[in-house]
Amino acid sequence: MIDIKDLIENPEKYRASQRARQADESAVDSLIAAQQTRSAAITRFETLRAEQKSFGKKVAQAAGEEKQQLLAEVKDLSNQVKAAEAESQGAAEQLRRLQAAFPNLIHEGVPAGGEEDFIVLREEGAARDFAAEGFTPKDHLELAESFAALDMERGAKVSGSRFYFLKGIGARLELAMMQMGMDQAIEAGFTPMITPTLVRPETMAGTGFDVEHDDEIYRLERDDLYLVGTSEVAIAGYHSDEILDLAKGPERIAGWSTCYRREAGSHGRDTRGILRVHQFNKLEMFTFCTAEESAAEHAKLLAWEEQMLQKMELPYRVVDIAAGDLGLSAARKYDCEAWVPSQQTYRELTSTSDCTTFQARRLNIRERTLKEDGSKGPTTPLATLNGTLATTRWLVAILENHQQADGTVRVPAALRPYLGGLEVIEPVV
């Protein structure tokens, strides 16, 4: 959630954030009005309750007709207190609903607009000129099938469309990539973690996902559990309702999990191969840090993502995502998009978001501050950030960018030690 006190004191910056997101500015005024209604309701309730307590003393000291009259007044006052309490609770719930639906305040400099309004910050590496090399590049599915690395047909037979089997060198390639990413994360100080893929509604909602209206999320109604689309959800909930000691620096976790997306509304888009599927594996970086450190931590997460892409020897670009495409939780998001030769365009491989204190407020995660004398100070919401380090989709870019004229694929040098020194993937005869 956003800081309601800051919104009331500085409403214009929140209106500007809403304009940049192409969202409703009046939501700011609705929040202010709801807070005022709640404050008035609480004041009325507490005033009546204090009056009720003072009446109790009068009744105890009275006798005869005076006592009977006071008892009647107490009964009426008791009804007023109950009504005021219900009104106060209703006002608090209305404020909570409005806060839960209000998106994070964007960072200064985030591009305004929607999905197509991102800004390309830079391009790294050069796309190969396959025509100059004398051959037409194959797409990842044709390559994978020639290596007996991927079976889409049997995936559909067993589970339906957009499911698949990775097998042979395909399975080994994904495991090698994920392990390489995990080793890099451990070297950078991350704690490895294999996370649950089913979470409770409060964990999903606490991370900023709309469990009521998000058609991308799989729900198990019988158990009231949700399948995650990223280990970010489980890791964010890991410290819910806790106070962390960040005196020694950020807490960094690298979560490895299977992820699920319904891909609602994407019918007919990227149906070939594994670009857009219902189930995939992902290695996700996640950081708990102080609010003051979040911007610097965001830059580090992006650098670690780029380090992995460079190890894979992939041409890519870094884009600053527009405000209207940030989702509810992010204050800023950078994507790294790798060049896909068969499509002659860039496709997202990594995403890193600075969620500032938004998720922590929803999940009640705080940090203990210290006073100047070193003693314990008050608690305050901390910041959370996330970033992709590897995922199944990467196989698309690896296979297509490193294919050779003879139908083989060259294994990036950094990945070879994780494949027993394998330098070239060859078609299966």
Side-chain angles (χ1 to χ4, degrees), residues 8 33-46 91 95:
I8 291 170
Q35 171 65 9
Q36 291 171 342
T37 299
R38 176 179 177 271
S39 295
I42 289 175
T43 299
R44 172 173 163 75
F45 168 59
E46 291 179 345
L95 177 62

Side-chain angles (χ1 to χ4, degrees), residues 37-310:
T37 299
R38 176 179 177 271
S39 295
I42 289 175
T43 299
R44 172 173 163 75
F45 168 59
E46 291 179 345
T47 300
L48 286 170
R49 189 168 58 175
E51 188 177 346
Q52 184 184 39
K53 289 180 179 179
S54 67
F55 252 75
K57 295 178 181 178
K58 291 180 181 179
V59 171
Q61 297 170 357
E65 292 184 6
E66 181 187 6
K67 186 167 187 174
Q68 293 304 314
Q69 182 179 351
L70 286 174
L71 284 171
E73 291 180 25
V74 165
K75 184 177 180 180
D76 179 60
L77 186 57
S78 177
N79 291 332
Q80 291 184 53
V81 169
K82 289 178 181 178
E85 183 178 22
E87 182 183 351
S88 173
Q89 291 172 346
E93 177 58 23
Q94 173 64 4
L95 177 62
R96 189 203 66 77
R97 281 197 298 266
L98 290 174
Q99 265 192 285
F102 196 92
N104 201 357
L105 177 72
I106 65 170
H107 281 318
E108 185 177 351
V110 169
E115 184 178 358
E116 303 301 324
D117 297 311
F118 61 83
I119 292 176
V120 177
L121 299 179
R122 62 181 180 277
E123 294 184 3
E124 302 288 347
R128 286 169 60 188
D129 185 349
F130 287 96
E133 296 181 34
F135 74 102
T136 301
K138 299 174 182 177
D139 74 4
H140 74 280
L141 179 57
E142 185 177 358
L143 288 164
E145 288 180 338
S146 74
F147 304 139
L150 178 64
D151 194 330
M152 301 295 299
E153 183 178 344
R154 289 187 175 89
K157 179 179 71 173
V158 170
S159 303
S161 64
R162 303 202 185 199
F163 287 93
Y164 56 93
F165 285 90
L166 278 179
K167 60 178 188 174
I169 190 59
R172 291 180 61 202
L173 194 59
E174 178 173 283
L175 289 170
M177 172 183 63
M178 297 282 281
Q179 189 59 61
M180 188 175 86
M182 184 64 85
D183 284 351
Q184 177 183 299
I186 292 170
E187 186 178 347
F190 285 78
T191 298
M193 187 178 286
I194 296 176
T195 65
T197 57
L198 285 166
V199 299
R200 292 176 171 176
E202 56 267 32
T203 303
M204 186 70 82
T207 317
F209 292 93
D210 185 351
V211 295
E212 298 294 331
H213 305 103
D214 194 334
D215 290 335
E216 296 290 351
I217 302 172
Y218 283 105
R219 181 188 178 194
L220 280 68
E221 293 187 13
R222 182 173 177 178
D223 303 290
D224 198 19
L225 293 171
Y226 293 83
L227 284 166
V228 300
T230 167
S231 62
E232 167 198 346
V233 178
I235 300 172
Y238 184 73
H239 282 308
S240 61
D241 298 318
E242 293 182 20
I243 298 173
L244 305 189
D245 182 1
L246 299 176
K248 295 181 180 179
E251 179 177 343
R252 300 185 177 106
I253 295 170
W256 183 334
S257 74
T258 301
C259 306
Y260 304 87
R261 288 177 63 87
R262 294 184 64 245
E263 292 296 346
S266 63
H267 302 292
R269 296 174 57 196
D270 298 323
T271 56
R272 182 171 169 81
I274 56 172
L275 260 171
R276 195 185 294 271
V277 290
H278 294 308
Q279 176 182 323
F280 52 94
N281 290 313
K282 184 161 70 161
L283 180 61
E284 185 84 356
M285 298 179 288
F286 196 94
T287 299
F288 299 95
C289 68
T290 66
E292 294 74 21
E293 293 174 308
S294 72
E297 184 69 11
H298 200 198
K300 290 178 181 178
L301 293 178
L302 177 59
W304 283 317
E305 290 180 339
E306 291 192 67
Q307 185 180 348
M308 273 290 288
L309 291 167
Q310 289 161 9

